[in-house]
Every structure is written in structure tokens, then in C-alpha cells.
């Protein structure tokens, strides 16, 4: 391509100006801003959803705390009453007070008073409304039930509501000192919310708030009693179900030992202690166990995936009870509308930018496409793959200039590569060798080849025919050596110097070199047949191979370099090749090379120590034999 090719008016009309590029950059910036805005909107929606869910959770928590506070207030009021007792006249007054408190506290299933001498007085709502009194004797207890009308009835005279409808009495083995609420209160020596226990009268799981209280009797003795209010887990589940209805999600109370105390997501109340192992609550509990937050005192907010749906979760610790309140709500139910609004806004914004993006992309193709193709061309030039490089036409003037520069570089390198071993350059660059004078010791296998009688052949042939034959011969040999890992160091007239193990180390270089020699002889037989049919002289190749240590590297002057190997092993290989003439052989190898073969190829030991020209010591040589089906 000439410079004149870039000066025509036709190409000038299609130049891409800076304004187009700036427009494309501005469009990208707009898309980034849209993406950031969408991300920020999604974050805001997520925060709104978390806040809304926390409000619902806080409603449930406030109702739970209100229920607990009301129960604690009732029990505290009874415990602080100076006339509370389980027997005698005080017992009758206490029964009236307990019944009145039970009427005013529909959340409670029973209110109990137990003294330290084993007497108990109870106001019971469930399984039947009654005043239950247990008087403990030395051998047995006497239990009396005074059945009442339901404490949940409204209206009527208070005395009539307290009136006894039936009485039953019997012996009993009831012992308050074995009751969970009594034991935990006495152990705590203060107010306590109990772990779930089995109510003796209703045979149902319940939790209770118990408070110990001490006082002095008429005889001046210090007496202790425990006041307790119980609520069944079934009743508590109904309460939590009501609390959960305040929001759009579900709630559950978990005890300190990870059992379900109450839950709103099941239609049936809790009748027995169970671990939250199934459903959404099971997934939440598994997550909290994995993160060591189950039963913790910290309030948490997180989200989980369960059966393809995402849930927002809030947890909080209920003071004094060691319970954990867990609330969850489907994110789609809470935030689905907001998410869809944000998505529609994004789609509208992207639609407005779509046309501009299309135009910008079309314009950018005028630059990016050719540059990408030229970069691939440049990479091929860097790898010295110089054949059949494509030409990239473009309407952009600067790209045309770049295309011309790469084309000129490729043509220059292609001409230069005819004089330099390209394989060596590739390996040196791949291994990171500096292209300056350097060398390092290596153990290699060197091969020298020579054409027998080449001087006589060259004197009897026209130069152009000789050059053609040499080119065919060298091309054949170079291909064979490359297949077996050999690197041609140089061509020397009709001879070739080949290295195995430099510049890249090889496994079994002796074996590879000998295989290459055998294949060269076999291929030369076919080539000689072809030349013979054309009336051309045959080439009989002689080969010498030796293995030893050399100095290999980039050697030469500061401005003229060559990759080669020097050392006694190189000289020995050259002399071994020359010994073929005196011994009448075609391929000779040294003893060091023979040892590297490990007996895998057929050889013949030369019985007499060979005297090599230019060397004082004789060497043991072996002839490499050409046999059929040689192992490859």
C-alpha cells in the first residue's frame, strides 16, 4: 500500500471525528448512571422493605411484651398483697382475689398460690373453671374443687359470678414442691418465667411466671409462698396468631433450648415441645444455628431463600424469658409492587437511550472492528506467523495508516526470518531470555550431517539444479528434525548442525536424535528414488551424534548475535560425523549417546577405538543400524 492511497478525497469524507467518540463515551456514562440509579433504587426498596417488616415485627414484639408485662403485674400484685394465703379465712379472701384476677386476665389459664408447708390454692380456667385447694397432710393431701361459672362471662353480680356450682373433694398426691413453677421460683429467689412444663390438672404444656414472697404469720414465724400465673402453649399460640395477623407475615416464639413455644403459621396450637425443623421456620432456625445466632440476645435482620421464595426475617430477644421472637415475611408480598415500579422505570429509561446506543454502536464499529482485527494481525506478527496476513480496509484514516505500518513490518520480518532460525527466536522469547550476548552450561545431544561426495556432485551439475536439490534436501531434513524436537543451529554448505536440549531442555535427547537420523535415512531413500527417476544424482547422508556438556546461548558481538553451542561436545560430534568416511558407515554415535538409548535401538559397536581427527584421545563409537519397524 502506498501513501497516495490515503490522500484521495473519498476516504476523507468517511473520517470518524472526535465528536463521535465523545458521544459514545457520554452514552456509556449515561448507561452507568442508569445502572447506578437502578442499584440505588433497589437498595432503597430493600431498606424500605426491611423497615416495613421491622415495624410489623415490632408490633408483634410490643404485644408479646404487653402480655408479659400484664401477667407479671398481676402476679406481682397478688404476691404483694398482705393477706394472701392458701388456707383459713385468708385463703377464702385469696380465692376471691385469684378468681377476680383470672376474670380480668383472659390470657392466663390459672393463678396459683403455694405455701412452703405444702398447701396450694388455685384459680383455674382450664380444663374447667374452678377454685382448687390442696391441703397437704403428713400422709396424703386433700384436694377440693369448687366449680364456678366461666370467668369469661360478662355482666351479672360479682358475687353470683363467684358462686360455687358444685364441689368435689378427694385424696391427692399433689405436691407443689415438685411443680416446675415452684421449683424454679425458689431456685431463682425472685420472679422467673419458667421453661415449658406439663400442667397437672389440664395435662397440657404451659409456661408460667412465678414470684416468691415471704411474710410473718400471726405467731411470728417467717413463712414463704410462691405466686404463679400459667398460660398453656395452646393459648399462647392463639395469642401469637392474633399478633401475626397484625402484619402480612408470620411469627413464632422459641425457647432458650430451641423449642417452639408458640407460632402463627400453623392452624393447630402447640400441644407438645418440638424443634422447628420444617417449613420456613425450620429454614430460619437452621440459618441461625449455622451463624451461631440462635438463642442470642441481639436483634437481627436478615433474609433467606426457601423453596424458591425469598423471606425477610427479624428476630429479637424477649427480656426475662430467654425467648426469641422470630418474624418472617415473603419479600415479594412486601416489596413486589415497589420492585415492579423500579423495573418499569428502568425499562423506560433504557428505551430512551436505546436509539442513541444503537447509533453509537454503529459508529464505534468503524473503529473497534478494524482495530480488533489489526490487533490479531499484530499478535501474529509478534509470534512470527508472517504468512497469509489479512489486509484490513477501513474508512478511518488513522486505521489505514496503522494497517500500512503493520504490513510493512510483516514484510520486513518475513525477509529477515529467512536468515534467522525462527524456532530459536520463538523459544528464547517464550522463555524470557534477553536478546544479548549470554550463555549457560547445558547437557545436549549434537548432530552433524554431511552429503557424501558433495564436491564431486556440485562440480558436475548446473548451479540452479544443485540449489533446487539442496533446498528439497534441507526442507526434508528440517521437517524431520523439528518433529523430533531438534533445533537447527546452522546450515554449513551441504551440512547441518542440529541441537537437542537447547535452547529448551528435552527428555531423552539421545533417543530423539537417533530416531531423527533413522527417519532421515528412510526418507532420503524415497527422495533419492524420485531424483533417480529425474536423472539427478543421489544424496548419501552421513550422520555423527554425540552427547555432552556445552555452553549454549546467544553468542556474538554486541551488534551481531547468533544462537549456538560451543564446547568439546560440538567438536566431537563433528569429528564423529567425519569418521564415517574412514569406517565406511552412515551413522555413528558416541558411547555417551549409546548409553542414553538404553538398548532401545539397534547398534553395532566399532571394536577398535576410533581415532578422531584433531583429537588426541580415541573414542568408543557405535554404528546406528537401520532396521525395519524401528520403534518410534
Amino acid at each position: 500500500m502506498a501513501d497516495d492511497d490515503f490522500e484521495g478525497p473519498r476516504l476523507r469524507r468517511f473520517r470518524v471525528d472526535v465528536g463521535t467518540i465523545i458521544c459514545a463515551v457520554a452514552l456509556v456514562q449515561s448507561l452507568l448512571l442508569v445502572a447506578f440509579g437502578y442499584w440505588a433504587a433497589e437498595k432503597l426498596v430493600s431498606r424500605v422493605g426491611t423497615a416495613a417488616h421491622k415495624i410489623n415485627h415490632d408490633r408483634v414484639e410490643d404485644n408479646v411484651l404487653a402480655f408479659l408485662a400484664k401477667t407479671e403485674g398481676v402476679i406481682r400484685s397478688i404476691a404483694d398483697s398482705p393477706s394472701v394465703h392458701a388456707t383459713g379465712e385468708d385463703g377464702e379472701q385469696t380465692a376471691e382475689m385469684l378468681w377476680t384476677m383470672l376474670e380480668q386476665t383472659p390470657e392466663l389459664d390459672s393463678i396459683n398460690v403455694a405455701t412452703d408447708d405444702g398447701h396450694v390454692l388455685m384459680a383455674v380456667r382450664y380444663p374447667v373453671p374452678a377454685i382448687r385447694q390442696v391441703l397437704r397432710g403428713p400422709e396424703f393431701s386433700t384436694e377440693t374443687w369448687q366449680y364456678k361459672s366461666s370467668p369469661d362471662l360478662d355482666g351479672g353480680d360479682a358475687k353470683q359470678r363467684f358462686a360455687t356450682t358444685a364441689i368435689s373433694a378427694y385424696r391427692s398426691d399433689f405436691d407443689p414442691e415438685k411443680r416446675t413453677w415452684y421449683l424454679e421460683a425458689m431456685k431463682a429467689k425472685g420472679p422467673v418465667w419458667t421453661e415449658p412444663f406439663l400442667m397437672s390438672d389440664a395435662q397440657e404444656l404451659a409456661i408460667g411466671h412465678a414470684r416468691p414472697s415471704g411474710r410473718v404469720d400471726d405467731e411470728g414465724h417467717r413463712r414463704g409462698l410462691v405466686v404463679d400465673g400459667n398460660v398453656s402453649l395452646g393459648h399462647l399460640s392463639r395469642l401469637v396468631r392474633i399478633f401475626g395477623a397484625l402484619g402480612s407475615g408470620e411469627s413464632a416464639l422459641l425457647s432458650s433450648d430451641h423449642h417452639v413455644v408458640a407460632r402463627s403459621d400453623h392452624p393447630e396450637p402447640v400441644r407438645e415441645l418440638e424443634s422447628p425443623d420444617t417449613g420456613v421456620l425450620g429454614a430460619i432456625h437452621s440459618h441461625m444455628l449455622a451463624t451461631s445466632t440462635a438463642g442470642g440476645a441481639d436483634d437481627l435482620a436478615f433474609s433467606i431463600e426457601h423453596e424458591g421464595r425469598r423471606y425477610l426475617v427479624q428476630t429479637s430477644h424477649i427480656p426475662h424469658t430467654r425467648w426469641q421472637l422470630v418474624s418472617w415475611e415473603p419479600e415479594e408480598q412486601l416489596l413486589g409492587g415497589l420492585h415492579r415500579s423500579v423495573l418499569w422505570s428502568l425499562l423506560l429509561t433504557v428505551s430512551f437511550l436505546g436509539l442513541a446506543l444503537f447509533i453509537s454502536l454503529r459508529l464505534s464499529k468503524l473503529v473497534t472492528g478494524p482495530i480488533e482485527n489489526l490487533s490479531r494481525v499484530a499478535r501474529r506478527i509478534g509470534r512470527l506467523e508472517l504468512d497469509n496476513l489479512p489486509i484490513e480496509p477501513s474508512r478511518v484514516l488513522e486505521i489505514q495508516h496503522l494497517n500500512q505500518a503493520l504490513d510493512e513490518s510483516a514484510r520486513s520480518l518475513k525477509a529477515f526470518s529467512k536468515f534467522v532460525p525462527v524456532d530459536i527466536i520463538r523459544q528464547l522469547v517464550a522463555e524470557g531470555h534477553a536478546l544479548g550476548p549470554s550463555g549457560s552450561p547445558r547437557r545436549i545431544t549434537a548432530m552433524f550431517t554431511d552429503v557424501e561426495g558433495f564436491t564431486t556432485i556440485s562440480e558436475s551439475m548446473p548451479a540452479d539444479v544443485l540449489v533446487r536439490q539442496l533446498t528439497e534436501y534441507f526442507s526434508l531434513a528440517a521437517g524431520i528434525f523439528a518433529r523430533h524436537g531438534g533445533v537447527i543451529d546452522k546450515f554449513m554448505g551441504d551440512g547441518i548442525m542440529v541441537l537437542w536440549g537447547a535452547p529448551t531442555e528435552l527428555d531423552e535427547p539421545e533417543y530423539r536424535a537417533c530416531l531423527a537420523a533413522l527417519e532421515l535415512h528412510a526418507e532420503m531413500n524415497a527422495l533419492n528414488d524420485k531424483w533417480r527417476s529425474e536423472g539427478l544424482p543421489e544424496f548419501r547422508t552421513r550422520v555423527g551424534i554425540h552427547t555432552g556438556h556445552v555452553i549454549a546461548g546467544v553468542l556474538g558481538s554486541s551488534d551481531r548475535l547468533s544462537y549456538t553451542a560451543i564446547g568439546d561436545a560440538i567438536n566431537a560430534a563433528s569429528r564423529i560425523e567425519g569418521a564415517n568416511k574412514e569406517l565406511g558407515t552412515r551413522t555413528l554415535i558416541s558411547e555417551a549417546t549409546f548409553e542414553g538409548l538404553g538398548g532401545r535401538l539397534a547398534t553395532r559397536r566399532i571394536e577398535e577405538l576410533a581415532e578422531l581427527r584433531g583429537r588426541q584421545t580415541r573414542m568408543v563409537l557405535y554404528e546406528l543400524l537401520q532396521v525395519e519397524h524401528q520403534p518410534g
Side-chain angles (χ1 to χ4, degrees), residues 53-69:
H53 179 59
K54 190 174 188 312
I55 291 174
N56 294 334
H57 175 83
D58 289 344
R59 288 178 181 175
V60 179
E61 183 180 9
D62 290 343
N63 281 277
V64 171
L65 292 176
F67 158 72
L68 297 177

Side-chain angles (χ1 to χ4, degrees), residues 101-162:
M101 290 298 184
L102 192 65
E103 287 182 329
Q104 296 177 358
T105 316
E107 297 86 355
L108 293 178
D109 289 308
S110 68
I111 303 176
N112 314 317
V113 175
T115 62
D116 56 4
D117 51 7
H119 304 314
V120 183
L121 185 63
M122 303 179 181
V124 180
R125 183 191 309 272
Y126 182 80
V128 291
I131 295 294
R132 179 186 182 190
Q133 186 179 47
V134 180
L135 300 178
R136 187 174 181 182
E139 298 181 358
F140 57 87
S141 299
T142 301
E143 190 166 333
T144 303
W145 286 70
Q146 300 179 28
Y147 299 102
K148 310 288 184 181
S149 300
S150 173
D152 299 324
L153 296 177
D154 294 329
D157 182 77
K159 189 174 182 179
Q160 291 178 348
R161 290 200 306 270
F162 185 67

